[in-house]
């Protein structure tokens, strides 16, 4: 399949993304912000228009805020703030066994956003369009291979499904986000670990009238007839999930067989199957909700799908090809994780690709993608196995307490807020500053950096720190100065920040000294040469401290100095205001290192293990 030199159909890019689902779109919108040349291809002629995933979790919403895309989804969705569990009591009657908040961890978004996947993909697609990118449709990946092309070592053969014309894309890296049945995975031939059985589900979006008390909460209702999950959608509608029983599967197959005999009179397959699914769903709702009633006024979308738990043994070829999303892990829809885990796969990967391509980080850091995201996917499969085991099985209907306990223990996982990466090249194995682990959200290497509100010192504006942290592929150095800002305790920190060994200048020698204002409303970086930026948080009154009087180089960072009113953020994050801390945060919002105000050398030593230190006359390009 060797590509002929100078082919007129040749496309050459840094990254080829295969598949424009949630994972592929997330890879594209982030690479666009990071300044990486890419192409996004998809074999479908257009975006999905109905159905598919329907829940965006809090951690995903936090990330979308840093991309200035959270609002674009929020206005199309419904805030699902509470969850209710229903089961059959000892007297055989349906009753509520638990009701409580959907999200128990501290976050600016204490809810699941029920929003159709088509709206999520639309928002990401429109963002790409505004930046001058379009999805190459309908373009199918046929094959790819490594070549002796020194600049673009991967050559991919693709086909336009309208014209059947084939062409080549040459790239430095390939990201397979092409879902279950991935061509990328087929070419890589990576073994997959899968369960021994398939679950078949019915899912529908509907207009539903009911006297069921929790119709506007996310409700899990388990009875001798099976289990259903009701989710309140925007506009008063509901999404419903239910798992098909062996008998229902047999009935569907019998209908299929009978229809296949009626060659002249047969309905289209989708029509008769949708009708059969509708009848199953109507009966399931009627049986499970007794003594309450419900009426399906309109079906907006209905489908069945077969889910087998699967996990690739590797999420990359340990070279230049990576797999994200459903292409590397599949599971049931019960916990609303598929879209979220998939998008966060891409968010974990693309900043690493960008910094390697820009010559700022060493290629070996790409191995952390496989280590970190496969760990999370493994935890997801284990949770899904336990949750599925008791969700709808009739032999487990009397274990409402155990079922709820599994759900409660998984709060941090399902919301994405409690995920914890193990130590690696980009995660320090220990905390080098005293942090109160009993605090609300203690700063912990490997966990997400907790968002917080603050007062911007220069103008007194209340801000959400996420809105001050646009996803431009930079590390963030947070200084929790507490009460030390104008004391001798801060002198080692200030001396480090202004020194040649400071991470603020060590990897960006050509960057301007003064930091220009920048937030999520800026479509592109106003400080493009920076690899690491600075945030300083203190507990003094911003009226009592003159920015110009702060030690160098802080006056140059006057737009990144914030007041922590009453020290609440320090307290919530386990930082003693009389001690302080320095926190290195990765571009994907995870804590890499926690050290003391005197620990600047530790920050530089940690970053030197991964960064490329520019030579005086070196170019930043790759």
């Amino acid at each position: 399949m060797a590509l002929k030199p100078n082919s007129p159909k040749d496309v050459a890019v840094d990254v080829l993304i295969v598949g424009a689902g949630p994972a592929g779109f997330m890879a594209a919108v982030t690479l666009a912000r990071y300044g990486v040349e890419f192409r996004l291809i998809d074999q479908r002629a257009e975006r999905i228009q109905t159905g598919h995933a329907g829940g965006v979790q809090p951690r995903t919403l936090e990330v979308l805020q840093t991309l200035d895309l959270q609002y674009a989804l929020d206005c199309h969705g419904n805030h699902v703030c509470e969850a209710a569990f229903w089961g059959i009591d000892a007297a055989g009657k349906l009753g509520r066994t638990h009701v409580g908040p959907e999200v128990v961890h501290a976050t600016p978004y204490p809810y699941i956003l029920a929003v159709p996947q088509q709206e999520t993909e639309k928002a990401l697609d429109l963002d790409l369009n505004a930046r001058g990118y379009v999805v190459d449709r309908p373009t199918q990946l046929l094959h790819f291979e490594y070549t002796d092309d020194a600049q673009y070592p991967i050559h991919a053969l693709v086909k336009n499904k309208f014209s059947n014309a084939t062409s080549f894309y040459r790239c430095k890296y390939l990201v397979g986000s092409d879902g279950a049945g991935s061509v990328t995975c087929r070419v890589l031939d990576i073994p997959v670990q899968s369960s021994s059985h398939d679950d078949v589900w019915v899912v529908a979006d509907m207009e539903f009238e009911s006297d069921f008390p929790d119709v506007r909460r996310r409700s899990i209702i388990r009875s001798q007839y099976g289990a259903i999950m009701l989710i309140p959608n925007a506009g008063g509608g509901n999404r419903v999930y239910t798992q098909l029983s062996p008998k229902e599967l047999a009935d569907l197959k019998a209908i299929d067989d009978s229809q296949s005999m009626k060659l002249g009179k047969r309905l289209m397959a989708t029509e008769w199957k949708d009708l059969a699914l509708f009848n199953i769903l109507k009966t399931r709702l009627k049986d499970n909700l007794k003594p309450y009633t419900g009426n399906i006024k309109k079906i907006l979308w209905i489908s069945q799908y077969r889910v087998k738990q699967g996990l690739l043994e590797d999420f990359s070829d340990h070279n230049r090809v990576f797999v994200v999303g459903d292409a590397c892990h599949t599971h049931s829809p019960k916990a609303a994780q598929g879209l979220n885990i998939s998008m966060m796969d891409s968010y974990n990967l693309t900043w690493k690709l960008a910094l390697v391509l820009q010559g700022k980080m060493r290629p070996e850091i790409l191995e952390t993608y496989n280590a970190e995201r496969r760990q999370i996917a493994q935890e997801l499969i284990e949770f899904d196995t336990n949750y599925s085991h008791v969700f709808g099985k009739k032999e487990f209907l009397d274990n409402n307490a155990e079922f709820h306990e599994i759900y409660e223990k998984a709060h941090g996982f399902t919301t994405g807020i409690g995920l914890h990466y193990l130590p690696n090249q980009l995660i320090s194995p220990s905390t080098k500053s005293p942090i109160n682990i009993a605090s609300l959200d203690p700063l912990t290497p490997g966990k997400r950096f907790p968002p917080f509100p603050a007062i911007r010192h220069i103008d007194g504006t209340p801000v959400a720190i996420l809105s001050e942290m646009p996803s431009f592929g930079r590390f963030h150095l947070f200084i929790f100065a507490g009460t030390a800002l104008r004391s001798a305790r801060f002198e080692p920190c200030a001396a480090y920040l202004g020194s040649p060994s400071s991470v603020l200048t060590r990897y960006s020698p050509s960057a301007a000294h003064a930091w220009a204002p920048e937030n999520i409303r800026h479509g592109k970086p106003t400080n493009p040469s920076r690899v690491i930026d600075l945030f300083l948080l203190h507990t003094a009154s911003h009226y009592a401290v003159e920015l110009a009087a702060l030690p160098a180089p802080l006056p140059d960072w006057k737009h990144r100095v914030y007041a922590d009113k009453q020290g609440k953020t320090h307290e919530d994050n386990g930082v003693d205001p009389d001690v302080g801390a320095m926190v290195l945060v990765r571009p994907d919002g995870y804590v890499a290192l926690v050290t003391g105000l005197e620990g600047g050398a530790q920050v530089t030593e940690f970053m030197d293990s991964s960064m490329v230190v520019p030579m005086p006359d070196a170019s930043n390009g790759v």
Side-chain angles (χ1 to χ4, degrees):
M1 179 190 117
L3 182 65
K4 295 180 180 179
N6 302 317
S7 167
K9 295 182 179 181
D10 182 16
V11 174
V13 291
D14 289 335
V15 181
L16 174 62
I17 307 166
V18 181
F25 272 122
M26 176 59 85
V29 299
T30 49
L31 289 176
R33 284 163 171 75
Y34 303 157
V36 173
E37 287 299 316
F38 69 90
R39 294 290 281 269
L40 173 59
I41 67 173
D42 194 272
Q43 64 179 338
R44 294 168 296 188
E46 61 180 4
R47 293 191 310 264
I48 64 169
Q49 302 300 311
T50 57
H52 297 266
V56 182
Q57 296 283 356
R59 175 56 191 159
T60 308
L61 293 172
E62 292 177 1
V63 169
L64 290 170
Q65 177 65 10
T66 70
L67 297 165
D68 197 23
L69 290 171
Q70 189 274 333
Y71 177 75
L73 292 189
D74 197 79
C75 60
H76 292 287
N78 178 53
H79 293 190
V80 182
C81 297
E82 293 188 330
F85 293 78
W86 290 70
I88 303 299
D89 63 18
K93 294 182 178 180
L94 180 67
R96 186 191 291 128
T97 61
H98 171 81
V99 63
E102 188 71 71
V103 178
V104 298
H105 291 78
T107 173
Y109 310 104
Y111 53 84
I112 295 174
L113 183 67
V115 61
Q117 183 174 320
Q118 66 263 28
E119 295 295 343
T120 303
E121 293 189 8
K122 179 181 178 181
L124 299 173
D125 199 9
L126 290 176
D127 182 79
L128 284 179
N129 297 163
R131 297 172 185 276
Y133 294 94
V134 295
V135 182
D136 292 352
R137 298 181 185 275
T139 303
Q140 179 183 13
L141 175 67
L142 299 178
H143 190 70
F144 64 85
E145 64 182 22
Y146 285 97
T147 71
D148 57 4
D149 184 337
Q151 188 173 10
Y152 298 99
I154 299 174
H155 290 187
L157 177 65
V158 304
K159 180 180 75 172
N160 183 293
K161 294 182 72 174
F162 282 161
S163 67
N164 285 327
T166 59
S167 59
F168 288 95
Y169 284 52
R170 297 189 301 151
C171 58
K172 298 175 183 177
Y173 293 94
L174 187 147
V175 177
S177 53
D178 40 351
S182 163
V183 175
T184 308
C185 294
R186 176 177 57 78
V187 175
L188 292 178
D189 195 26
I190 298 175
V192 60
Q193 303 169 2
S194 61
S195 62
S196 59
H197 68 279
D198 296 353
D199 289 337
V200 182
W201 288 76
V202 176
V203 56
D205 289 323
M206 60 185 182
E207 294 180 7
F208 185 57
E209 283 186 344
S210 177
D211 58 357
F212 179 64
D214 288 334
V215 73
R216 296 308 295 170
R217 292 185 173 109
R218 186 169 73 96
S219 298
I220 295 92
I221 307 150
R222 303 161 69 238
S223 76
Q224 65 269 35
Y225 303 103
I228 60 175
M229 182 187 295
L230 278 175
I231 300 172
N233 285 341
N238 286 84
R239 169 164 287 197
V240 60
Y241 291 95
T242 190
Q243 189 172 333
L244 293 178
S245 68
K247 181 180 184 305
E248 288 164 339
L249 285 171
D251 290 345
L252 281 174
K253 186 178 184 304
I255 296 172
D256 194 1
D257 293 342
S258 66
Q259 288 290 333
S260 66
M261 301 299 293
K262 303 175 183 177
L263 299 179
K265 302 178 182 179
R266 183 184 175 191
L267 293 170
M268 291 182 63
T270 53
E271 292 176 344
W272 66 257
K273 189 166 287 185
D274 285 356
L275 179 60
L277 294 175
F278 170 73
N279 288 330
I280 290 172
L281 183 61
K282 184 169 65 172
T283 300
R284 181 67 55 81
L285 283 166
K286 178 183 176 182
D287 291 341
N288 273 58
L289 292 179
K290 290 177 183 177
Y292 304 104
T293 60
N295 176 40
I296 301 175
K297 296 179 63 179
K298 185 178 182 179
I299 290 287
L300 305 175
W301 170 75
I302 191 169
S303 184
Q304 75 170 57
Y305 58 99
R306 188 177 299 272
V307 177
K308 175 181 286 188
Q309 290 176 338
L311 181 67
L312 284 189
E313 290 189 2
D314 281 296
F315 287 9
S316 75
D317 68 346
H318 301 281
N319 193 354
R320 290 176 175 267
V321 181
F322 301 86
V323 187
V324 296
D326 288 351
C328 51
H329 46 72
T330 56
H331 46 86
S332 82
K334 299 182 188 76
Q337 290 299 294
L339 174 145
N340 296 274
I341 294 288
S342 296
M343 293 176 73
M344 294 304 98
D345 286 346
S346 296
Y347 194 61
N348 178 287
L349 172 65
T350 52
W351 67 267
K352 299 171 183 176
L353 284 175
L355 290 174
V356 169
L357 283 162
Q358 292 159 3
K360 297 172 181 176
M361 296 195 83
R362 300 171 188 169
E364 58 261 30
I365 64 103
L366 296 174
E367 286 294 322
T368 64
Y369 166 72
N370 188 70
E372 291 175 348
R373 295 311 296 177
R374 196 180 185 283
Q375 169 205 329
I376 298 304
Q378 180 68 57
E379 291 173 6
L380 169 62
I381 296 297
E382 291 171 0
F383 163 72
D384 189 56
T385 299
N386 292 335
Y387 197 60
S388 299
H389 191 54
V390 297
F391 181 83
K393 302 289 192 298
K394 292 182 179 179
E395 60 268 33
F396 297 108
L397 289 176
D398 60 349
N399 65 348
N400 289 315
E402 179 186 350
F403 179 64
H404 181 247
E405 182 182 2
I406 292 172
Y407 170 79
E408 286 294 318
K409 286 182 178 179
H411 262 300
F413 185 85
T414 56
T415 60
I417 293 171
L419 300 186
H420 192 173
Y421 295 139
L422 298 176
N424 60 49
Q425 189 174 354
L426 296 173
I427 300 290
S428 173
S430 61
T431 296
K432 299 176 175 63
S433 179
I435 297 294
N436 180 9
I437 61 173
S439 61
L440 177 67
D441 219 342
L443 296 167
T444 307
K447 298 189 74 173
R448 108 348 179 155
F449 182 70
F452 56 82
I455 302 295
R456 193 163 53 213
H457 192 120
I458 195 170
D459 57 9
T461 301
V463 296
I465 205 65
L466 285 175
S467 298
E468 304 282 284
M469 297 171 64
S471 285
F472 288 147
R474 291 196 201 98
F475 283 81
H476 313 290
L477 183 62
F478 275 82
I479 310 297
F480 284 75
T483 61
L485 192 58
R486 293 178 292 176
S487 73
R489 288 190 294 112
F490 191 70
E491 290 176 1
C493 181
Y496 167 73
L497 294 176
S499 71
S501 64
S502 165
V503 293
L504 298 179
T505 53
R506 183 171 175 81
Y507 315 113
S508 308
S510 62
H513 288 292
W515 176 265
E518 186 178 280
N519 59 37
I520 62 171
R521 299 289 185 260
H522 291 83
K524 57 183 180 180
T526 56
N527 304 273
S529 298
R530 290 281 181 186
V531 180
I532 302 176
D533 57 19
L534 175 69
F535 292 81
L536 186 140
L537 189 69
H538 64 81
T539 55
S541 167
H542 69 288
Y543 297 120
V545 178
E546 291 294 334
L547 290 173
L550 295 178
L554 295 180
D556 290 335
W557 293 84
K558 60 187 178 183
H559 298 286
R560 285 292 181 83
V561 178
Y562 304 86
D564 176 15
K565 195 173 183 179
Q566 299 177 339
K568 187 175 187 308
T569 295
H570 283 69
E571 178 185 352
D572 288 349
N573 294 161
V575 179
D576 184 340
D578 293 330
V579 177
M582 273 199 286
V583 184
L584 183 66
V585 181
R586 306 190 326 180
D588 58 357
Y590 278 79
V591 175
L593 174 73
V594 180
T595 188
L597 292 179
E598 72 292 342
Q602 296 169 354
V603 178
T604 298
E605 180 183 5
F606 178 82
M607 290 301 293
D608 274 355
S609 68
S610 302
M611 300 296 294
V612 175
V613 181
M615 300 299 290
D617 297 321
S619 166
N620 282 335
V622 170

